[in-house]
Amino acid sequence: MRRNRKQGNGWLRLPFWLTYVFLYVPIGVVVLMSFNRNKSPYAWGGFSLRWYGQLFGNEKIREGLINTLIVAFGATVLSTVLGTLLAVGLARYNKSRLLDALSTMPAILPDLVLAIGLLIFYAAVKMTLGLHSVLIAHTVFGMAFVTAVVRARLNHADTSMEEASRDLGATPVTTFMRITLPTLAPGILAGALLAFTLSIDEFVIAFFTAAPTQPTLPIVIYSMVRFGVTPEINALATLLLAVSFTVVIAAQRMTKLTEALS
Amino acid sequence: MKSTVRARVVGRLATMGPGFGFLIVFLAVPLALVLSYTVFRRGRFGGVVYEATGENFTRLIDPLYLDVVIGSVKLATITTLLALLLAYPTAYMIARLPAKWKVIALVAVVLPFWTNFLIRTYAWIVLLNSEGLVNSGLDALGLGKLELLYSDGAIVAGLLYAYLPLMILPLYSAIERLDPQLREASSNLGARPIRTFWSVTLPLSLPGVLTGCVFVFVPSLGNFVIPELLGGGRRIMVGNLIRDQFLKARDWPFGSVLALSVIGVLVLLLFAQAWASRRVGRDA
């Protein structure tokens, strides 16, 4: 630190801390307000859990939550299986940069573009919209993240065990199930967790591909935020923040997440 | 010999087949459809009539829509520049932290990004509302209340909040990769820190800068939620226009043209990024 100051970098600390204040004050305020007794969501009136109580009685939110969980579980399973296989295949066989690009494309493509693409596609093949159409859409980008995380793990993996297994006469399937998968397990689990949080929080694509009668939780939140603010949203927001934080920290502990994504 | 070739083909198909099959059906084909819809006439209730036309493209320069495009580019540019200004020193500091703190600082950057995007936008309504925290503070200081919400400023704040982590991460990995000896050499040769920054650190981290700009600028253009919730619908951005073409106006071809132009911007920026990486790769 002393050396930093001597090099004239001390002033860098201001934007550094400003970034973290900027990132955490807004969500901190929402969390604080969720415990606010006051009916007005904008002024403090003492500690209370009443909005959490009301939240659990809200029919629309419960429906949205169930829809979201169905989609998220389905999309997570599908994108984990497809993404893991894809990552192994790409690491082993692929030399084409085009295929590499295709596998990471859903992560870079703006969500709105993917959303309208799928909307057009579903209309063109005359598929009715429902939870399945959201599930497919979420698998498209969930898979990209699983592939990226598992691949990052593969790059550090030691291949000598797989070679030994093959030399000892194991079939490719046996080698894959008994050696490759267990080695990759932390990466796969981390990828699955990311796909799950992404799906739970995803709004734009769901907005375009869900049936109006079966909204996911973010769609319910959107209509709530749009047509007036209720303190229940603060409570819901706090719960969702808690879920995302837990999942992401868990994923981080399992693999070097930040490394895979940067 | 023949059997190993066959094993490799089977291996390829078994691993990459399902994934790429899925991506081709649900990503490549939909994108190809968007591309093809740009040249057809609109159907009355959405969809298209298969008659070729160039009309959808000429509508882009209609003053009505041109204003939207220019306004969006302006706000997205301001957001990107602010993100760069805040993210560069932050990433630079993180790169110089001890290993243990580095991980904590990076996770702290990533965490908000993985939380619900609507919730993060909603947080700014809570902050900027006329009865909100910022206005209460201004009021307490005797400065009176300001109309903060439903403005371009609120939109920029929301966009910056949504995408700042995406600027910090690539910058961090670019700066982290720099050889500290280059900086030392520069300072040993008598360059002042500012000079070292402009002629060594910044040019070498340019690929990271451009990656961050892609990650902030492009989604800012295509965002329709923030302009609606924080801009109060007063400012229409490209994202809103695209949404409306598909869900309200039912003009899918024009919506496709707009989406295609967003992809065009994305591709252009990615090329710039690839060019910068190659240049740095050659110099180093």
Side-chain angles (χ1 to χ4, degrees), chain A residues 4 7 9 12-13 15-16 18-20 22-24 26-27 29-30 42 82 85-86 89-90 93 99 102-103 105-106 108-110 112-114 116-121 123 136 139-140 143 145 194 198 201 203-204 207-208 218 222 225-226 229-230 233-234 237 240-241 244-245 248 252 258 261-262, chain B residues 8 11-12 14-16 18-20 22-23 25-27 29-31 33-34 37 86 89-90 92-94 96 103 105-109 111-112 114-116 118-119 122-127 129 131 133 160-161 164 168-169 173 193 218 222 224-225 228-229 239 242-243 246-247 252 256 259 262-263:
Chain A
N4 276 355
Q7 291 184 342
N9 287 331
L12 285 176
R13 264 181 251 173
F16 175 79
L18 199 63
T19 294
Y20 287 98
F22 178 71
L23 285 178
Y24 283 92
I27 46 182
V29 169
V30 171
Y42 303 118
L82 295 175
L85 285 172
L86 188 58
L90 284 172
Y93 308 109
L99 289 185
L102 184 62
S103 77
M105 197 173 174
I108 305 171
L109 201 68
L112 186 58
V113 174
L114 184 57
I116 62 153
L118 282 166
L119 181 70
I120 291 178
F121 175 74
I136 289 171
T139 304
V140 173
M143 204 170 111
F145 284 89
L194 292 183
L198 275 169
D201 291 334
F203 166 68
V204 173
F207 186 62
F208 278 82
Y222 175 68
V225 174
R226 232 173 123 209
V229 171
T230 68
I233 301 177
N234 295 327
L240 285 173
L241 286 171
S244 301
F245 275 40
V248 173
Q252 156 69 23
T258 40
L261 298 178
S262 59
Chain B
R8 282 180 74 85
R12 268 169 210 251
T15 50
M16 298 195 285
F20 278 127
F22 192 89
L23 284 180
V25 175
F26 296 111
L27 179 69
V29 171
L31 290 181
L33 280 173
V34 172
Y37 272 30
L86 211 50
T90 304
Y92 193 85
M93 282 288 279
I94 296 174
R96 300 186 134 205
V103 175
L106 281 174
V107 172
V109 165
L111 265 184
W114 288 97
T115 63
N116 192 304
L118 287 166
I119 298 297
Y122 168 75
W124 282 90
I125 303 181
V126 175
L127 272 183
N129 194 281
E131 309 290 319
L133 193 76
L160 185 61
Y161 193 57
L164 181 62
I168 297 176
L169 288 183
S173 61
V218 177
F224 66 87
V225 178
E228 183 175 320
L229 295 180
I242 296 175
R243 193 249 341 243
F246 280 91
L247 301 183
W252 290 18
S256 299
V262 173
I263 299 177

Side-chain angles (χ1 to χ4, degrees), chain B residues 111-280:
Chain B
L111 265 184
F113 179 70
W114 288 97
T115 63
N116 192 304
F117 160 74
L118 287 166
I119 298 297
R120 281 183 288 148
T121 306
Y122 168 75
W124 282 90
I125 303 181
V126 175
L127 272 183
L128 299 180
N129 194 281
S130 60
E131 309 290 319
L133 193 76
V134 176
N135 261 322
S136 308
L138 288 175
D139 210 24
L141 290 171
L143 295 170
K145 287 182 178 177
L146 293 173
E147 175 79 49
L148 297 169
L149 200 56
Y150 307 135
S151 63
D152 280 359
I155 297 177
V156 169
L159 291 173
L160 185 61
Y161 193 57
Y163 303 123
L164 181 62
L166 292 181
M167 182 65 98
I168 297 176
L169 288 183
L171 280 177
Y172 161 77
S173 61
I175 295 169
E176 168 84 315
R177 237 174 275 150
L178 294 184
D179 187 349
Q181 289 185 343
L182 291 172
R183 254 195 326 260
E184 270 164 40
S186 167
S187 91
N188 288 343
L189 290 170
R192 304 184 47 163
I194 304 243
R195 177 75 206 268
T196 302
F197 173 77
W198 281 110
S199 22
V200 178
T201 312
L202 187 62
L204 286 176
S205 59
L206 198 61
V209 171
L210 286 167
T211 306
C213 289
V214 177
F215 286 172
V216 175
F217 186 79
V218 177
S220 294
L221 273 187
N223 194 305
F224 66 87
V225 178
I226 291 172
E228 183 175 320
L229 295 180
L230 299 180
R234 284 185 206 174
R235 160 75 70 180
I236 298 171
M237 287 180 68
V238 174
N240 303 76
L241 206 53
I242 296 175
R243 193 249 341 243
D244 291 347
Q245 298 313 309
F246 280 91
L247 301 183
K248 288 183 188 154
R250 299 274 165 197
D251 190 343
W252 290 18
F254 184 51
S256 299
V257 166
L258 291 166
L260 185 67
S261 44
V262 173
I263 299 177
V265 171
L266 172 66
V267 170
L268 216 68
L269 288 172
L270 285 177
F271 271 121
Q273 199 278 338
W275 171 80
S277 314
R278 262 203 314 276
R279 239 180 70 115
V280 169

Side-chain angles (χ1 to χ4, degrees), chain A residues 169-185:
Chain A
T171 64
V173 176
T174 311
T175 306
F176 183 78
M177 298 302 277
R178 315 237 350 215
I179 309 289
T180 315
L181 273 190
T183 322
L184 294 181

